[in-house]
């Protein structure tokens, strides 16, 4: 096995525990030594990030995450800081028990959670309640501790994962610690990078100097910054794809225009638009580079399909007779296709064979309809949902949302590390459809196009949001997109 790049490799909590166990059983590294390394790395991070802090409050659960907390508290005491340590029960394992003894050996005092109101105010709270194994809502004293921690209105530093966050899925079934920063150990856990992952704050990985022989193949990976290579000097419009964007029913002409313009800005050589006749004049006036045609049915669409190399199908398409007829005709053409919006809703209503090269781009609600489940079930395990969609439809799937996932039919999953809340506005999905279609037209394979397209889309949004997230429009992405796809500084 080639050693994974730990900067981008993502692992399940089961894999993380297996790596930990391999280090102990096969490499002879004692568990307490690993705990000591983790605490030392976390404490260094704490001091670098909060150098002025003089009083800590450390909240320790009974497991090994609590053991990490005891040793962070010990290191802080040794460094001259004041430390209040609250324990939620007694340590349940030998390593955590040894860590508590090490804290007490340097003069540390362990308080029960009930002592919280009587303790002096802290400048920083360390969350060491739960580790990677939690897959349910926190209960009892742990729930109360998390609520008190969040209400304290001081900075929070989480060890490994914020307590209450599912390390596998990024879901939070109950209360969750809202951390300003998280020190995670050995490998990145995939739940720290999708859905509710913002509760982790800034994440820093500490590999604890384990050798590559302790590792295994990751479950998923983070996207890396990428662009398209420079074009050959003899490149011409015909060699960079002819995209056909289909959609724009009555009142939704803007959706298909945004998809089409995004394909142009991504570098497609030619972009045609099949839409309602009423949209053509405005589209030609605003963006004459688009070849907009009024299409009233399949007969008018077919000549356009004959000239196209890629189809972007769904933005503003609608689900009435006009949209359904164009949808059926376009899919029957068998061209590489990006299917979005009403194109996905029609697929839910009428399952059918899809082209060999296809990318589906559902948001969680659309994904739920395609799988016949509730939206909450999609969000409870986005990795499983994306993989099941890709398997069931034999398609590359982009499951949109915070930490968008890109899944292949072969089980690969990539996670987008960029994006911001300003993207929660109309037209963003249409723009993504056009970007991916434009990349397909320039020769990218479906999984490659989806990964690169999602990354470019989110990075462009982050550049556009430098002047504020609120009020961010899909059209604001087009200028930074042009720079990013060419590998230029944005």
């Amino acid at each position: 096995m080639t050693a994974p790049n730990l900067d981008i490799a993502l692992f399940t909590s089961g894999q993380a525990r297996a790596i930990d166990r391999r280090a102990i059983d096969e490499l002879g590294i004692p568990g307490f030594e690993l705990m000591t390394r983790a605490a030392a790395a976390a404490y260094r991070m704490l001091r670098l990030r909060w150098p002025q802090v003089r009083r800590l409050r450390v909240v320790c659960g009974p497991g090994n995450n609590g053991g990490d907390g005891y040793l962070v508290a010990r290191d802080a005491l040794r460094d001259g800081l004041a430390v209040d340590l609250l324990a939620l029960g007694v340590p349940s394992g030998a390593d955590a028990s040894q860590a508590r003894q090490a804290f007490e050996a340097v003069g540390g005092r362990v308080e029960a959670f009930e002592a919280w109101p009587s303790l002096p105010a802290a400048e920083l709270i360390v969350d060491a309640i739960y580790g990677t194994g939690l897959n349910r809502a926190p209960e009892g004293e742990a729930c109360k501790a998390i609520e008190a921690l969040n209400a304290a209105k001081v900075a929070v530093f989480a060890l490994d994962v914020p307590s209450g966050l599912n390390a596998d899925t990024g879901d939070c079934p109950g209360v969750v610690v809202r951390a300003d920063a998280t020190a995670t150990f050995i490998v990145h856990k995939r739940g720290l990078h999708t859905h509710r992952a913002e509760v982790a704050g800034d994440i820093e990985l500490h590999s604890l100097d384990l050798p590559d022989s302790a590792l295994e193949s990751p479950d998923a990976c983070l996207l890396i910054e990428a662009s398209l290579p420079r074009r050959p000097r003899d490149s011409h419009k015909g060699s960079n794809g002819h995209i056909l964007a289909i959609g724009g029913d009555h009142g939704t002409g803007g959706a298909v225009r945004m998809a089409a313009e995004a394909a142009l800005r991504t570098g497609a050589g030619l972009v045609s638009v099949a839409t309602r006749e009423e949209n053509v004049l405005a589209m030609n006036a605003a963006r004459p580079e688009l070849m907009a045609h009024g299409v009233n049915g399949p007969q008018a669409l077919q000549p356009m399909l004959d000239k196209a190399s890629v189809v972007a199908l769904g933005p503003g398409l609608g689900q009435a007779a006009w949209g359904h007829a164009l949808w059926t005709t376009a899919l029957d053409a068998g061209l590489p296709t990006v299917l979005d919006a009403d194109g996905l809703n029609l697929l839910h209503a009428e399952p059918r064979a899809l082209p060999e090269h296809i990318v589906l781009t559902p948001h969680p609600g659309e994904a739920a309809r395609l799988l016949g489940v509730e939206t909450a079930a999609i969000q409870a395990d986005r990795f499983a949902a994306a993989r099941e969609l890709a398997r069931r439809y034999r398609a590359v799937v982009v499951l949109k949302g915070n930490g968008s996932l890109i899944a292949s039919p072969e089980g690969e999953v990539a996670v987008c590390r960029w994006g911001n809340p300003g993207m929660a506005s109309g037209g963003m999905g249409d723009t993504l459809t056009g970007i991916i279609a434009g990349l397909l037209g320039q020769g990218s394979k479906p999984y490659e196009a989806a990964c690169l397209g999602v990354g470019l889309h989110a990075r462009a949004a982050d550049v556009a949001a430098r002047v504020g997230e609120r009020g961010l429009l899909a059209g604001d992405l087009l200028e930074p997109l042009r720079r990013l796809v060419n590998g230029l500084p944005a």
Side-chain angles (χ1 to χ4, degrees):
M1 182 195 77
T2 302
N5 179 350
L6 291 183
D7 290 335
I8 62 171
L10 300 178
F11 296 80
T12 66
S13 59
Q15 287 180 305
R17 288 191 293 272
I19 293 168
D20 192 74
R21 179 50 52 191
R22 193 175 300 123
I24 296 169
D25 293 344
E26 298 178 15
L27 302 179
I29 303 174
F32 187 72
E33 169 62 21
L34 291 176
M35 192 174 284
T36 300
R37 292 183 191 181
Y43 187 66
R44 286 194 298 270
M45 179 179 169
L46 184 158
R47 295 306 287 155
L48 287 171
R49 187 177 180 94
W50 294 283
Q52 304 306 316
V53 163
R54 304 305 303 167
R55 188 175 199 97
L56 299 182
R57 180 163 301 168
V58 183
V59 187
C60 295
N64 282 346
N65 192 247
D68 297 336
Y70 284 114
L71 294 183
V72 167
R74 180 199 63 179
D75 292 349
L77 276 181
R78 285 176 169 175
D79 202 24
L81 275 63
V83 178
D84 301 317
L85 190 144
L86 301 177
L88 308 181
V90 298
S92 58
D95 292 336
S97 294
Q98 188 175 351
R100 175 167 173 162
Q101 292 165 12
F103 170 66
E104 293 175 326
V106 296
R109 179 178 174 181
V110 177
E111 305 276 1
F113 171 68
E114 289 78 7
W116 183 297
S118 64
L119 296 174
E123 299 168 87
L124 174 69
I125 300 176
V126 178
D127 163 34
I129 301 173
Y130 288 121
T132 60
L134 185 72
N135 56 11
R136 53 177 172 78
E139 300 172 345
E141 195 172 56
C143 178
K144 294 177 182 177
I146 293 171
E147 291 172 341
L149 190 152
N150 288 335
K153 302 189 186 305
V154 299
V156 176
F157 182 41
L159 302 185
D160 214 13
V161 295
S163 295
L165 177 73
N166 187 306
D168 280 333
T169 67
D171 191 32
C172 302
V175 295
V176 62
V177 167
R178 297 190 295 272
D180 295 270
T182 297
T184 198
F185 307 125
I186 301 181
V187 292
H188 279 295
K189 289 76 184 176
R190 64 184 199 178
L192 287 173
H193 299 278
T194 193
H195 191 21
R196 295 288 305 282
E198 75 278 359
V199 301
D202 297 330
I203 301 166
E204 189 172 312
L205 174 65
H206 305 277
S207 62
L208 309 188
D209 298 322
L210 289 193
D212 293 342
S213 58
L215 302 175
E216 55 188 75
S217 297
D219 178 78
C221 67
L222 293 170
L223 293 179
I224 59 173
E225 292 187 6
S227 58
L228 288 178
R230 294 190 66 176
R231 287 177 172 173
R233 297 296 293 175
D234 64 349
S235 180
H236 57 87
K237 62 186 178 183
S239 61
N240 291 293
H242 187 162
I243 313 304
L244 175 57
I246 304 173
D249 201 353
H250 300 303
T252 57
V256 73
R257 180 204 154 176
M258 284 186 285
E261 191 167 353
L264 275 179
R265 287 299 190 191
T266 307
L270 295 166
V271 180
S272 296
V273 182
T275 187
R276 288 285 191 180
E277 183 67 42
E278 67 200 52
N279 300 323
V280 173
L281 180 61
M283 207 171 294
N284 284 339
R287 183 53 65 201
E289 296 88 348
L290 297 174
M291 296 177 287
H293 299 265
V295 172
N296 58 10
Q299 284 187 319
L301 180 63
Q302 191 59 55
M304 301 181 71
L305 288 166
D306 292 341
K307 296 178 181 178
S309 58
V310 174
V311 172
L313 180 60
L317 184 67
Q319 300 179 58
W322 179 81
H324 181 268
L326 299 190
W327 177 79
T328 300
T329 304
L331 292 179
D332 285 344
L335 294 170
T337 299
V338 184
L339 194 62
D340 184 33
D342 283 324
L344 297 170
N345 291 326
L346 287 166
L347 181 61
H348 161 249
E350 187 178 320
R352 53 155 294 153
L354 297 173
E356 179 182 359
H357 300 295
I358 189 160
V359 179
L360 311 182
T361 62
H363 58 57
E366 291 162 342
R369 287 191 285 276
L370 289 171
L371 290 180
V373 299
E374 297 296 323
T375 302
I378 299 294
Q379 297 292 69
D381 193 341
R382 288 167 54 81
F383 288 89
R387 282 191 165 110
E388 176 58 19
L389 282 167
R391 184 200 65 79
R392 185 176 299 187
Y393 290 96
R394 296 299 303 166
V396 170
V397 171
V398 176
L399 179 56
K400 295 182 286 195
N402 181 30
S404 291
L405 307 183
I406 306 96
S408 76
E410 292 72 36
E412 301 165 285
V413 175
V415 183
C416 182
R417 62 172 83 190
W418 307 287
N420 63 80
M423 298 173 73
S425 64
M428 287 290 173
D430 304 315
T431 303
L432 177 61
T433 295
I435 293 171
I436 297 173
L439 295 169
L440 287 171
Q442 293 171 82
S444 295
K445 301 299 183 185
Y447 186 68
E448 176 188 10
C451 288
L452 179 55
V454 168
L456 289 169
H457 182 254
R459 290 167 60 204
D462 286 345
V463 173
R466 289 173 184 169
V467 293
E469 294 175 353
R470 285 188 173 87
L472 182 65
L473 303 180
D476 296 335
L477 276 58
L478 297 181
E479 187 53 40
L481 169 66
R482 182 183 177 189
R483 298 186 65 81
L484 291 170
V485 78
N486 283 289
L488 299 174

